[in-house]
Amino acid sequence: LLLLLIPLMGGDRSIWAAAFRPWILLRSALFAMVFVSFYTAISTVDLAVVAAGYYTSPIFITLLSAMMTKDRINPLGWCAVLLGFVGVLIILRPTSGDFNPMTVVPVFSGLCYAFAAIIVRVKCQNEEPFSLVVSLNFVLMATGIIATLILSTLSLSSSAIAFQPFLLGEWALLDVKEWIITCALALL
């Protein structure tokens, strides 16, 4: 669908070329990691825990802003970061006997989101939104193709597939209703 938009964009190829600049591609790769890690966690961890881990992104954004962009964070901001961190620790319970290592995956998702947000702020502020969208869609497509090719060459045990069905399970065929919904969403 994106290729069909070229004539509608007046043939401005600079928007398309910008989609493949290094900072924009890095941003897109980070967002791909956000999506993959978030959905990987959802299939094995309670939704509340996934949300708590993912919502560490504002904490990471604040920390990274202070370290990388030299933003000044006032004492109230640092208190909010500390309280948010304590809240995440309460929900994730990293020292309890029933700690699931997969709870770290949504925290990784939040960290990737924070890095992507910092990149947008520092390096991509003047980029066309369409370039950012094209880049993200290209990287997501490439990620899917590469993962599919890699997974098709592996012989995975049924226990590995059962542990991580989202990433390792077989493709489900779409019925007519699901195709209609997918096409309708694509047109939006």
Side-chain angles (χ1 to χ4, degrees):
L1 285 175
L2 287 173
L3 294 177
L4 297 175
L5 294 176
I6 292 174
L8 298 174
M9 297 295 295
D12 186 358
R13 296 186 194 279
S14 66
I15 292 175
W16 291 84
F20 299 98
R21 290 185 185 142
W23 286 111
I24 294 177
L25 284 173
L26 178 58
R27 169 206 170 266
S28 297
L30 286 164
F31 273 124
M33 288 190 280
V34 167
F35 295 138
V36 170
S37 57
F38 184 83
Y39 289 111
T40 298
I42 277 183
S43 66
T44 58
V45 180
D46 290 338
L47 184 57
V49 174
V50 172
Y54 179 71
Y55 290 138
T56 58
S57 59
I59 296 169
F60 288 129
I61 289 171
T62 304
L63 293 171
L64 292 172
S65 291
M67 293 182 333
M68 298 172 77
T69 67
K70 306 299 183 211
D71 281 355
R72 294 182 50 87
I73 312 300
N74 64 31
L76 187 60
W78 286 117
C79 287
V81 166
L82 181 62
L83 283 172
F85 182 70
V86 169
V88 168
L89 289 178
I90 289 170
I91 292 171
L92 297 184
R93 298 176 303 200
T95 59
S96 70
D98 61 343
F99 174 71
N100 179 353
M102 287 298 291
T103 59
V104 176
V105 174
V107 174
F108 175 73
S109 181
L111 180 63
C112 289
Y113 182 90
F115 273 115
I118 297 296
I119 287 172
V120 168
R121 180 168 175 229
V122 174
K123 297 292 186 181
C124 301
Q125 272 188 340
N126 298 320
E127 299 294 347
E128 290 287 333
F130 189 74
S131 296
L132 299 176
V133 169
V134 168
S135 178
L136 179 59
N137 280 281
F138 172 78
V139 168
L140 289 172
M141 182 182 66
T143 301
I145 290 170
I146 291 167
T148 300
L149 291 174
I150 290 171
L151 289 173
S152 68
T153 63
L154 300 176
S155 297
L156 298 170
S157 68
S158 57
S159 62
I161 294 170
F163 173 71
Q164 197 46 256
F166 172 74
L167 284 181
L168 306 176
E170 292 192 19
W171 285 74
L173 294 177
L174 300 179
D175 62 22
V176 174
K177 179 183 171 186
E178 290 165 332
W179 273 110
I180 291 170
I181 292 170
T182 301
C183 290
L185 290 172
L187 291 174
L188 292 177

